């Protein structure tokens, strides 16, 4: 209710300024939130699942992009999320693209961003996150999303990702390899099989060194674009399986403006479109990936999830887990408990004993 009152004031601000204020506010409350009983971790046999060797108390996670520098690892469980993905983090610190670079489309419940992986860099993020986790980890899994530094030539992308993995993997429960953002020039070229195969091989080789050093390899997931042609998906699924990838994140933001009303005032803004207009395509990609891989390659469904009905449809299309960013921006702090509660009611209505039983039944 408080957010409903504050949102019109926040939405009068530049979107990125409002985002920064939200982060500052949550940071100020982090120590207090950390002491609250985390609603996300209350055991519910209908919602809980085990994937990648990790326990997820509910399937709804925070998507990458909101907590870019891992400043709030203890907040997300308290807000009802079953897991959180921090980042995107790059090997080199970078300021991102010039402002303005974030735009609201309220009528469409959407955002356009061309932030460009603004973050403090892998070494700085790792040091700060290690300090925040020194007194204990949050009660839900934490992933870290890795991207390529803008100044790193595409030919050197593998070394760039490996450096980030080396710095951050010890702090993560899982790692997401982001080769699908539209806001770093050339990045999406890494989704081609010829480019992706050596990248995944090098990352898994570095990942294996964690075990040699007394740790454990981290589950690696790959985040794909919604704009990939359907005929590219079988090869990518085969490649992921060949390199021991734990799962796929489907999908990143879209550069397609055909999903917006004709003549939309912001259709000409460069960047990735997220939110409700992405829902249909993200669901279609999830369904196709599930048809190709089944449960051998769990899918994290993201893009346009704003309600329990959206979450349920994505699960039935093949998503084992879910993520949200834009829905959370519009829905506020009560968003995750509301969506998870609605999802639970739908699963119970249809007689499922566990959320995993509903995965892919419409695919």
């Amino acid at each position: 209710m408080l957010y409903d009152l504050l949102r019109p004031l926040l939405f009068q601000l530049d979107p990125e300024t409002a985002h920064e204020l939200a982060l500052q506010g949550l940071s100020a409350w982090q120590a207090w939130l950390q002491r609250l009983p985390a609603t996300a971790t209350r055991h519910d046999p209908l919602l809980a699942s085990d994937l990648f060797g990790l326990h997820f108390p509910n399937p709804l996670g925070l998507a990458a992009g909101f907590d870019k520098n891992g400043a709030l690892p203890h907040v997300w469980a308290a807000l009802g999320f079953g897991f959180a993905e921090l980042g995107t983090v790059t090997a080199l610190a970078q300021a991102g693209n010039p402002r303005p670079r974030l735009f609201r489309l309220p009528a469409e419940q959407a955002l356009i961003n061309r932030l460009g992986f603004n973050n403090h860099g892998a070494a700085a993020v790792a040091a700060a996150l290690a300090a925040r986790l020194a007194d204990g980890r949050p009660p839900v899994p934490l992933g870290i999303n890795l991207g390529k530094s803008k100044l790193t030539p595409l030919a050197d992308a593998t070394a760039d990702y490996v450096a980030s993995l080396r710095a951050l993997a010890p702090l993560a429960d899982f790692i997401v390899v982001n080769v699908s953002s539209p806001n770093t020039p050339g990045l999406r070229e890494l989704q081609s099989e010829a480019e992706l195969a050596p990248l995944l091989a090098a990352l898994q080789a570095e990942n294996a060194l964690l075990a040699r050093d007394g740790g454990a390899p981290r589950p690696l997931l790959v985040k794909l674009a919604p704009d990939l042609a359907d005929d590219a998906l079988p090869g990518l699924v085969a490649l992921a399986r060949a390199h021991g990838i734990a799962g796929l994140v489907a999908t990143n933001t879209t550069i397609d403006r055909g999903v917006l009303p004709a003549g939309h005032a912001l259709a000409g803004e460069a960047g990735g479109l997220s939110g409700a207009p992405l829902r249909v395509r993200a669901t279609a990609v999830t369904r196709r990936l599930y048809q190709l891989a089944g449960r051998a390659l769990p899918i994290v469904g993201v893009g346009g999830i704003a309600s329990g009905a959206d979450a349920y449809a994505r699960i039935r299309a093949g998503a084992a887990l879910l993520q949200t960013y834009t829905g959370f921006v519009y829905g506020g702090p009560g968003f995750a408990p509301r969506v998870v509660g609605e999802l639970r009611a739908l699963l119970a209505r249809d007689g499922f004993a566990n959320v995993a039983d509903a995965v892919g039944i419409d695919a």
Side-chain angles (χ1 to χ4, degrees):
M1 290 176 64
L2 179 60
Y3 185 73
D4 290 342
L5 295 172
L6 289 177
R7 189 173 66 179
L9 299 175
L10 287 172
F11 276 30
Q12 289 181 28
L13 300 173
D14 164 77
E16 195 165 356
T17 300
H19 180 84
E20 290 164 351
L21 286 173
L23 289 176
Q24 290 170 15
L26 288 170
S27 180
W29 286 92
Q30 182 162 210
W32 179 75
L33 287 171
Q34 194 175 347
R35 293 194 296 267
L36 289 177
T39 58
T41 62
R42 294 172 187 160
H43 180 68
D44 188 330
L46 185 55
L47 295 171
S49 57
D50 294 298
L51 294 159
F52 327 129
L54 301 170
H55 181 70
F56 296 84
N58 77 59
L60 183 65
L62 180 77
F66 198 94
D67 190 0
K68 290 178 176 293
N69 293 300
L72 304 171
H74 299 288
V75 163
W76 308 116
L79 291 182
F81 289 101
F83 65 106
E85 188 178 323
L86 312 178
T88 298
V89 184
T90 55
L92 304 176
Q94 52 189 44
N97 294 319
R99 298 192 187 200
R101 54 192 183 178
L102 183 62
F103 306 87
R104 297 188 196 95
L105 293 74
E108 290 73 33
Q109 294 288 287
L111 298 170
I112 292 173
N113 96 80
R114 52 172 180 264
L115 291 162
F117 291 166
N118 52 308
N119 74 103
H120 297 160
V125 171
L129 184 57
R132 294 185 182 105
L133 298 177
D135 293 331
R137 297 186 65 84
V140 299
L142 281 183
I144 300 180
N145 185 295
L146 305 182
K148 184 188 79 67
S149 306
K150 184 176 182 179
L151 293 179
T152 299
L154 205 61
D156 298 328
T158 293
D160 192 85
Y161 279 95
V162 167
S164 295
L165 181 72
R166 186 178 301 126
L168 290 160
L171 300 166
D173 294 309
F174 64 93
I175 293 287
V176 177
V177 184
N178 187 343
V179 289
S180 51
S181 169
N183 299 318
T184 295
L187 184 78
R188 285 187 167 190
E189 294 178 32
L190 295 174
Q191 292 178 114
S192 72
E193 292 181 51
E195 297 284 354
L196 190 56
L199 172 60
L200 296 183
L203 288 171
Q204 288 290 42
E206 180 66 30
N207 197 20
L209 294 179
L210 288 171
R212 185 196 69 179
D213 296 336
R218 299 299 187 261
L220 294 189
L221 287 73
V222 177
K223 189 168 187 176
L224 301 176
D227 308 309
L228 285 166
D230 286 347
D231 60 8
L233 299 180
L236 291 174
V237 166
L239 188 66
R241 296 191 66 178
H243 287 277
I245 295 305
L248 300 172
V249 182
T251 64
N252 214 316
T253 57
T254 182
I255 57 173
D256 181 11
R257 297 298 186 263
V259 295
L260 291 176
H264 195 286
L266 293 178
E269 293 290 351
L273 174 69
S274 62
L278 181 56
R279 184 180 299 134
V280 172
R281 179 58 184 166
T283 303
V285 173
T286 297
R287 183 180 298 110
R288 183 60 183 139
L289 291 171
Y290 184 84
Q291 290 168 347
L292 291 165
R295 300 194 177 211
L297 203 58
I299 299 162
V300 183
V302 56
I305 294 173
S307 69
D310 297 335
Y312 190 41
R314 198 68 51 91
I315 288 166
R316 292 175 66 105
L321 296 170
L322 309 161
Q323 287 180 334
T324 181
Y325 175 113
T326 304
F328 177 55
V329 169
Y330 284 98
F335 176 81
R338 174 178 63 80
V339 171
V340 170
E342 292 170 355
L343 172 62
R344 190 192 193 288
L346 291 167
L347 290 165
R349 180 199 69 187
D350 291 346
F352 291 105
N354 180 261
V355 61
D357 299 332
V359 172
I361 64 168
D362 289 341

